[in-house]
Amino acid sequence: MLRKAQQGFLLISAVIIIVVVGLLAATVSYVVITNSRSMANQLDAMRAHYIAESGLERAIYAVISSEITCSAVTGHASLTNISFGEGAFTAMATLNNPTAATLTAGVNASATVIPLSSINGYASVGRVTIDSEAINYSGTSSGVDVCGAARCLTNAKRGVASTTAASHLSGASVFQSQCSITSTGDVPATSPVIAERQASGVVVYRFGSGWIVGDTTGTETILGWNGSEWLHVGPYSGVANNQLNDVFVNSLTDSWAVGNRSDISSPGLIIHWNGINWADFSASGLPHENLNAVTCVNSSDCWTVGDAATFAHYNGTSWSHVAPDVSVPSQNINDVSCVVSNDCWAVGQKEGGAPLMVHWNGSAWIRPSASGLPNMDLKSVACVAANDCWAVGQSKTFLYYNGTSWANIIPSASVPNTTMNSIDCINANNCWVVGNPMAGDATFVQWNGSTWVRVFPDVRMANQALYDVSCLDASDCWAVGNVAGIVHWNGSVWSDAAPGIGVPRVNLYGVAYITGSVPPEKASLMTD
C-alpha cells in the first residue's frame, strides 16, 4: 500500500511539474511574442517617422528650388502617396500670407508674448517680422489669460535669422509669409496602415528682387516676388492707401515706388523699400501732383516724374523738386529713362501740335525740337545708349532717337492701331512693347533689330490691357495690366501667370525686378 501511495504522489507531482513548466513556457512564449510585436511596432513607427521626414525634406526642396509653388504642394503627383522604403509619404502645405495684423500693445526686446489685432491667417507655428526683427513662435492663443489681450503669438524667440531683438511700438505691422508643410509617412504603403507618423517644417519667403504695384482696394497694392510666385504683401503702417503707378528696383534692400497724392495739399506719393519694409519717404517741397514714373542710375541718383511737368531728383539722402526749362510745357510727364547721370529722357502729353520729349543734360530739363513727328501722347521711353532710345504712345506711335534727333518709325502691318503703354529693351536688337488690347487679344510687340512685329500669346486674353513691361533677359520678362493681369515671357511664348493667393483683383500699373529669384529658405523654428 505504501508503495502505491508513493507512486500516486509522484504521479501527481509530475503532473504539477508538467503544468508549471507548460505555464512557464507559455508565459515565456507570450513575453517573447509580445516583445517581438512591440519591437516590430516600434520599428514600423521609426520607419514611418523617417519616411515622413524624407517626404518633408523632398517637399521643402521642391518649394525652395521653385520646382513647385507652396500652393501646388497639396495634391501634387510627385508628393502624394509616394512609395519610399517599406511605406509611402504624402506632403501637404498651407501658404500663410495673411493681411498684416498690428501690435495691440508695445513689446520690449525680451517679450515672449506678441499681442496682435488678429491671428487670422497666421500659422500655428512659424516666423513673423516686425520692423527689422524676425521672430519665431510656437503657438497662437485667443485667451486673455495668456495674451493679456484677445489674441497673441506665444513662446516667441526673439532676434532670429541674424536679426536683433528690439522694442516695437503699438500699431507696428506684423508680417508673415511662409509655406507650412506637413508630411505623413505610412507603413506599409497600402491599407491597412500599421504605423503612421507626421513631420512638419516651414519655408520662409523673402522679398526684394521684384515688385508689382497698382490700384488701391482698401489698402495699397504691393506684390512681392518670392522666387516662385507673386504674393500680396502689406499693408504697411504709414504708407498711404493710394494708387501706385510705378516701381524701380536698385537692389534687394533698395527699391522705390511712386503714386498719386493722398489729398490736394500733399505732394506725390514716394515710398521706399529698405529690405524689410516699405515706408513713406518724406519729400517736402515737391509739387502737389501725382507721380507717374521712377527710375535710378544708381542708389544715389534717381528721378521721378509726374503731372504738370513735375520733376524730382534723389541724391542719396533726399528728394528735391527740379523745375524744368521754360521750353517745357506744364503737361503730364508719363515716363523717364536714364542712360547715365547727365543723359535722361522723359516723355508725356502732346502739346503745341507735337509730341512731348524732354531731355536732361546734367543741368536742366529742356524740350528739343519735335518737328515732323506725329502729334500723339507718349506713354513710355527706354534708352539702351545715348544714341539708342525708343518712345511709344497713342495710335501705335514708335519714335526712335539716334543721338541727334527723333524720327517716326512705321511698324509692320501686324502691329495693331492701339495705344502702346510701355517699352523695355534688353539690348539694341531686342525690345518689348505692351499696350491696349486689340481684336480680343493682348498687345505684345517686339523689336527684332530691324522692325516691330506683333507677337501673340499662347492663349487669348480678351480685353487684357497691359500697362507695364520689365525684362531681365531675352527669356525672362513680366508684363502687368488690368484686373490683376500678370503675364510672363519665357523666351518662346507669353503666358498668363496666375497671381498668388490674396492678390486683389485691381489694375496693376508697374513691374520691376533685378533677378529671377530670391529663393525662400528653410526656417529653424526651435523656440528654446
Side-chain angles (χ1 to χ4, degrees), residues 43-59 79 81-91 182-190 193 195-200:
L43 182 59
D44 286 336
M46 290 177 61
R47 288 169 177 161
H49 171 75
Y50 287 120
I51 290 170
E53 288 281 356
S54 298
L56 177 63
E57 291 301 317
R58 174 68 182 90
L79 295 172
N81 197 28
I82 303 302
S83 295
F84 190 88
E86 297 182 23
F89 66 79
T90 294
T182 299
S183 172
T184 301
D186 291 331
V187 174
T190 57
V193 173
E196 184 174 88
R197 291 293 184 271
Q198 287 188 332
S200 298

Side-chain angles (χ1 to χ4, degrees), residues 329 331-332 334 347-357 367 374-378 394:
Q331 297 291 89
N332 293 348
N334 296 320
V347 298
Q349 288 182 325
K350 61 187 177 184
E351 191 276 339
L356 179 59
M357 295 88 69
R367 184 185 189 184
N375 183 27
M376 297 292 176
D377 290 343
L378 298 177
Q394 285 181 315

Side-chain angles (χ1 to χ4, degrees), residues 390 409-412 428-431 446-453:
W390 287 97
I409 304 299
I410 306 299
S412 72
N429 297 313
N430 193 351
C431 300
Q446 185 178 31
W447 172 252
N448 58 18
S450 59
T451 188
W452 288 97
V453 295

Side-chain angles (χ1 to χ4, degrees), residues 68-82 89-93 182:
I68 302 173
T69 65
C70 181
S71 303
V73 168
T74 301
H76 197 279
S78 68
L79 295 172
T80 302
N81 197 28
I82 303 302
F89 66 79
T90 294
M92 304 179 72
T182 299

Side-chain angles (χ1 to χ4, degrees), residues 32 40 65 106 152 162 182 212 239 269 293 297 319 353 395 410 414 449 505 520:
V32 170
S65 65
C152 65
S162 301
T182 299
I212 292 174
V239 174
L269 178 63
V297 177
W319 287 91
S395 300
I410 306 299
S414 68
R505 303 288 291 173

Side-chain angles (χ1 to χ4, degrees), residues 166-397:
S167 297
H168 306 285
L169 299 176
S170 177
S173 296
V174 182
F175 302 100
Q176 182 172 76
S177 185
Q178 70 179 46
C179 184
S180 302
I181 304 173
T182 299
S183 172
T184 301
D186 291 331
V187 174
T190 57
S191 183
V193 173
I194 296 174
E196 184 174 88
R197 291 293 184 271
Q198 287 188 332
S200 298
V202 166
V203 171
V204 176
Y205 292 117
R206 298 179 293 150
F207 297 99
S209 67
W211 298 101
I212 292 174
V213 298
D215 210 347
T216 177
T217 173
T219 178
E220 77 281 354
T221 295
I222 303 174
L223 311 183
W225 177 249
N226 69 8
S228 61
E229 58 189 323
W230 294 98
L231 298 178
H232 187 214
V233 293
Y236 290 90
S237 178
V239 174
N241 178 22
N242 284 69
Q243 175 178 309
L244 293 167
N245 297 319
D246 195 24
V247 62
F248 188 90
V249 182
N250 276 316
S251 70
L252 298 180
T253 58
D254 182 19
S255 296
W256 294 96
V258 298
N260 292 355
R261 64 188 181 192
S262 57
D263 57 64
I264 195 170
S265 63
S266 65
L269 178 63
I270 301 177
I271 63 174
H272 182 252
W273 168 259
N274 63 3
I276 300 294
N277 289 325
W278 282 98
D280 183 81
F281 198 95
S282 177
S284 59
L286 269 62
H288 307 311
E289 302 291 347
N290 296 335
L291 298 175
N292 301 319
V294 60
T295 193
C296 296
V297 177
N298 53 55
S299 61
S300 59
D301 187 2
C302 302
W303 285 97
T304 181
V305 297
D307 292 352
T310 296
F311 296 85
H313 183 255
Y314 178 72
N315 61 6
T317 303
S318 61
W319 287 91
S320 59
H321 177 229
V322 178
D325 181 78
V326 294
S327 62
V328 179
S330 184
Q331 297 291 89
N332 293 348
I333 306 298
N334 296 320
D335 197 18
V336 59
S337 178
C338 293
V339 178
V340 291
S341 294
N342 62 353
D343 189 3
C344 303
W345 283 97
V347 298
Q349 288 182 325
K350 61 187 177 184
E351 191 276 339
L356 179 59
M357 295 88 69
V358 186
H359 184 246
W360 171 255
N361 59 15
S363 59
W365 285 98
I366 298 174
R367 184 185 189 184
S369 172
S371 59
L373 299 178
N375 183 27
M376 297 292 176
D377 290 343
L378 298 177
K379 299 292 187 178
S380 183
V381 60
C383 293
V384 177
N387 61 350
D388 191 355
C389 298
W390 287 97
V392 297
Q394 285 181 315
S395 300
K396 67 173 185 181
T397 297

